[in-house]
Amino acid sequence: LIIKSVGSPDLLETLTIKLSNCSAITDNGLIPLQDSLQALKHLKSLHLELSGCPKISDEVLKSLRNGTKSLIKLQSFELNTSECTGITNNGFGSLRSLIESAIHINYLSLQFGNIPHVSFQEIAHLEQAIISLRSLAFLEINLKGCTGISDPGVICLQDAISQLSLLESLNINLSGCKNITMKGLSQIRDLTGIKVLKSLNLNISECQINDWILEEALQGLRRSKTLKNIALNFSKCFTISDEGLVTFEKLALDEISLEGVDLDFSWCSNITTKGMIHIVNFLCSLKSLKHFGLKINHCTEITDEGFNWPLDRSLSSLESINLGFKGCSQLTTEGINFVLREITRRSEEHTS
């Protein structure tokens, strides 16, 4: 792979390479990238999409480390090696060195989804790398389907993130990490303790989430004074019930000033109309709410009564809505249309 810029390479500030699902690519095709990167002295943003390339190995990350040593102006780094099962602990060590040497990075996105052998050792490398980035404002870590991760890995990751005092946006995907237990998942509540955090996107679908862990996660939101946007995905967490959703009512009493809320409880079959009412009361308590998304696909115990929303109380600032009701066999057209009509009416009143 040879990178050429138009004119002097000194002028290039942004480089994006997308090779997702190029399954025939090997280390030999990517290692030459090292020499090309060394020439880009003023590069500020580097984005590499290598997901679905199973033939690449640790050697690619080693070459990236060597190629970026001179990139002292690098501020944004995005790397996607999901499904690259040839990457091992040694590769994560090279990645750690790369990040630690790029001290000005404030935007970091790392995706390692569906690499089953990623475990505590690999996460320990990420911990040290993250801690070194004191000015980090945006962090995304995707470990979807990394079934080798257990409680120590999550605790290690949480410890690192909690030290990022300037972090404003955090995206964490632990979907399908089935070996994480209550001990590890209970640490999630501390992720919202970062003083300036404004946006939290947390995906822990298909994990061992119960009502107690859900309550612990939501309790963290009660302590946050800066959060404006949250996206929480608990889909296919089959043990969540109405009892866990009571915590949303407590959030309503705190009068937190969220502007965007996305909730996904699809396939949570123990949630009934009663639980839905808790969520609705929470949403309607948010006076500054501009966007909300709610997915309850295949929640077959929710009826029209769960959509008798007290819209006279709020939602006057809404600008966008995303609703998902697929497979909700007890919902009727009448119930859904009632909500849509009322939301439309409130929006028209607000703009008139």
Side-chain angles (χ1 to χ4, degrees), residues 8 60 101 151 162 291 342:
S8 171
V60 169
S101 64
D151 296 340
S162 64
H291 163 83
E342 286 300 298

Side-chain angles (χ1 to χ4, degrees), residues 199-203 218 221 228-235 248 258-265 279 282-283 286 289-296 320-324:
S199 175
L200 174 65
N201 186 329
L202 180 63
N203 186 341
L218 295 178
L221 299 180
K228 295 298 181 183
N229 298 282
I230 60 170
L232 306 175
N233 188 336
F234 299 106
S235 62
F248 279 104
L258 291 172
E259 296 179 358
V261 175
D262 281 282
L263 302 173
D264 192 342
F265 289 100
I279 295 176
F282 163 65
L283 290 172
L286 301 175
L289 192 65
K290 296 180 180 180
H291 163 83
F292 82 79
L294 178 62
K295 293 182 180 180
I296 53 170
S320 63
I321 303 169
N322 182 13
L323 303 175

Side-chain angles (χ1 to χ4, degrees), residues 186-206:
S186 65
Q187 303 298 312
I188 290 170
R189 67 181 181 276
D190 296 325
L191 293 177
T192 57
I194 302 168
K195 292 183 180 180
V196 296
L197 193 66
K198 296 178 181 178
S199 175
L200 174 65
N201 186 329
L202 180 63
N203 186 341
I204 45 179
S205 60
E206 299 183 68

Side-chain angles (χ1 to χ4, degrees), residues 211 237-243 245 265 267-273 275 298-302:
D211 289 335
C237 295
F238 301 112
T239 56
I240 291 178
S241 69
D242 297 340
E243 185 175 348
L245 300 183
F265 289 100
W267 296 94
C268 295
S269 54
N270 287 321
I271 294 178
T272 71
T273 297
H298 302 283
C299 293
T300 56
E301 299 300 315
I302 296 176

Side-chain angles (χ1 to χ4, degrees), residues 249 252 280-282 284-285 287 310-316 346:
E249 293 274 16
V280 167
N281 287 336
F282 163 65
C284 290
S285 73
K287 298 178 182 180
L311 295 175
D312 56 315
R313 283 167 43 186
S314 189
L315 301 185
S316 59
R346 293 291 292 166

